Amino acid sequence: QSVLTQPPSASGTPGQSVAISCSGSRSNIGTFYVYWYQQVPGTAPRLLIYRNYVRPSGVPVRFSGSKSGTSASLAISGLRSEDEAHYYCATWDDSLSGWVFGGGTKLTVL
Amino acid sequence: QITLKESGPTLVKPTQTLTLTCTFSGFSLGTTGVGVGWIRQPPGKALEWLALIYWDDDKRYSPSLKNRLTTAKDTSKNQVVLTMTNLDPVDTGTYYCAHYEQNGDAARSNWYFDLWGRGTLVTVSS
């Protein structure tokens, strides 16, 4: 059971928009920045969003992050087949004095 | 350019100790404001944070695994080692090391994992 709660799956057709939620608590998302990672099967996680909404160099503008209270969301617009992957949210947790990850969301592009 | 690579045994017997090495380039743990973390992923499951080590030798461990984990750095070799004792089949998975980025924020809880190694698969089985 992950400390951060994500839906196990999401889907959309090419060109559509999709949002993936991440729910936590005051000791984690409610206090600290949220990060999003993309993981294509068989590869290492790739940082997509840091400090709630900032995109690292090279990440398409189609990816955006937001945070409100103890929840966060990753939005992907203009879905493409290469977006099919697992997505994980993560943050620091003050109660655990360490990092926590969400259970991951498998995005399928139909 | 920052790169990291994990190395170690691919098969370990239950109750044995696992030692993994993360060899990196493009940064130095002798430089202020640098860290390296360890994260693992059981097959088909989510990511799980294990440990962090900072340039000043400060260390953090996952509370659930704290009694079994040790991490250490060798600055001259650009390496970080993770040791996990008393292995069990549930410890099977891919183990990643990652660069821990400060990005101008002194608060260590605001740092983050920006670049990861490719991971090494460890199987615990008799």
Side-chain angles (χ1 to χ4, degrees):
Chain A
Q1 196 83 3
S2 301
V3 172
L4 305 180
T5 301
Q6 297 180 235
S9 63
S11 63
T13 57
Q16 276 190 332
S17 296
V18 68
I20 297 171
S21 62
C22 176
S23 177
S25 65
R26 189 164 57 181
S27 67
N28 44 66
I29 293 179
T31 304
F32 300 100
Y33 293 121
V34 176
Y35 304 84
W36 290 91
Y37 295 90
Q38 177 194 58
Q39 188 179 34
V40 174
T43 69
R46 169 199 180 195
L47 180 66
L48 270 187
I49 298 288
Y50 67 94
R51 294 180 180 166
N52 297 338
Y53 59 82
V54 185
R55 283 186 311 277
S57 173
V59 174
V61 296
R62 304 185 295 105
F63 293 89
S64 62
S66 63
K67 177 185 132 174
S68 178
T70 59
S71 294
S73 182
L74 173 72
I76 310 171
S77 62
L79 268 180
R80 304 177 67 158
S81 58
E82 58 259 38
D83 298 334
E84 193 161 282
H86 284 87
Y87 292 84
Y88 294 92
C89 59
T91 186
W92 184 267
D93 188 295
D94 223 9
S95 300
L96 301 173
S97 291
W99 274 72
V100 290
F101 287 87
T105 299
K106 181 178 180 180
L107 175 64
T108 302
V109 181
L110 302 167
Chain B
Q1 180 190 4
I2 289 175
T3 64
L4 306 100
K5 185 176 182 180
E6 307 84 353
S7 60
T10 57
L11 180 64
V12 181
K13 288 181 167 47
T15 75
Q16 286 188 337
T17 295
L18 170 69
T19 299
L20 296 173
T21 301
C22 175
T23 303
F24 54 85
S25 63
F27 68 96
S28 169
L29 270 173
T31 302
T32 299
V34 179
V36 170
W38 289 93
I39 304 98
R40 72 176 178 180
Q41 185 174 37
K45 295 190 177 180
L47 300 165
E48 178 186 19
W49 171 70
L50 301 177
L52 275 171
I53 186 166
Y54 297 89
W55 87 97
D56 58 3
D57 214 32
D58 184 21
K59 299 162 189 175
R60 294 285 184 267
Y61 298 104
S62 166
S64 62
L65 294 166
K66 184 175 184 177
N67 293 337
R68 299 172 53 206
L69 293 174
T70 304
T71 189
K73 61 183 175 68
D74 186 330
T75 305
S76 64
K77 293 183 179 178
N78 277 351
Q79 291 181 333
V80 170
V81 172
L82 179 75
T83 301
M84 179 181 288
T85 61
N86 194 23
L87 270 282
D88 182 271
V90 301
D91 295 312
T92 293
T94 299
Y95 286 71
Y96 297 98
C97 63
H99 175 257
Y100 202 46
E101 172 63 42
Q102 180 187 30
N103 200 359
D105 196 322
R108 299 184 184 193
S109 54
N110 291 337
W111 299 20
Y112 54 94
F113 302 111
D114 62 340
L115 293 165
W116 299 50
R118 299 173 82 170
T120 185
L121 176 61
V122 177
T123 302
V124 183
S125 175
S126 54

